[in-house]
Amino acid sequence: MVEKKYLSIKEMISLPILSNTSISDDGRNIAFVKRTADWKENTYRNYMWVYEKDKGECYPLLSGNLDAISPLWSPDSRKSPSLVQLGMEKIRKIKSL
């Protein structure tokens, strides 16, 4: 008989959680918030990510306390309003991290 192995409390808390998903109107991109545990600071960190379907890749855009932010796409489906407010120069700096 195979013994079942369960995740420890630390492993469960460490699992990333995805929320606030938003698909662009053209269906080519998905923005979402990814929550991860920060054991050093004893807190959670939220990061805004974008998945680009055409490139098949994800990358983080914003980090910090994003609890109140939900990514929403602009009418042209190119960027979310929360990203537009930051300005493209700031977004480029964040993407290069």
Side-chain angles (χ1 to χ4, degrees):
M1 177 179 254
V2 177
E3 188 176 327
K4 290 183 181 181
K5 183 175 179 180
Y6 296 97
L7 295 175
S8 69
I9 296 294
K10 186 172 183 175
E11 289 172 324
M12 286 191 291
I13 291 171
S14 295
L15 289 172
I17 297 172
L18 306 182
S19 64
N20 298 338
T21 56
S22 178
I23 301 172
S24 63
D25 289 339
D26 62 8
R28 300 170 106 188
N29 301 305
I30 300 172
F32 58 93
V33 174
K34 180 180 177 181
R35 184 178 95 168
T36 58
D38 182 342
W39 289 99
K40 196 178 227 182
E41 297 293 323
N42 194 30
T43 190
Y44 287 103
R45 298 284 179 221
N46 295 299
Y47 303 89
M48 186 182 296
W49 283 65
V50 169
Y51 171 75
E52 292 187 18
K53 180 181 172 188
D54 294 342
K55 293 181 181 178
E57 64 181 42
C58 286
Y59 52 86
L61 288 178
L62 302 171
S63 65
N65 187 8
L66 301 177
D67 290 333
I69 294 177
S70 291
L72 298 172
W73 292 96
S74 60
D76 65 4
S77 297
R78 292 189 181 162
K79 45 194 168 294
S80 79
S82 56
L83 302 180
V84 173
Q85 294 168 8
L86 289 174
M88 288 308 293
E89 184 177 320
K90 203 173 208 180
I91 292 169
R92 283 188 203 99
K93 286 180 186 176
I94 293 169
K95 283 177 73 171
S96 66
L97 294 178

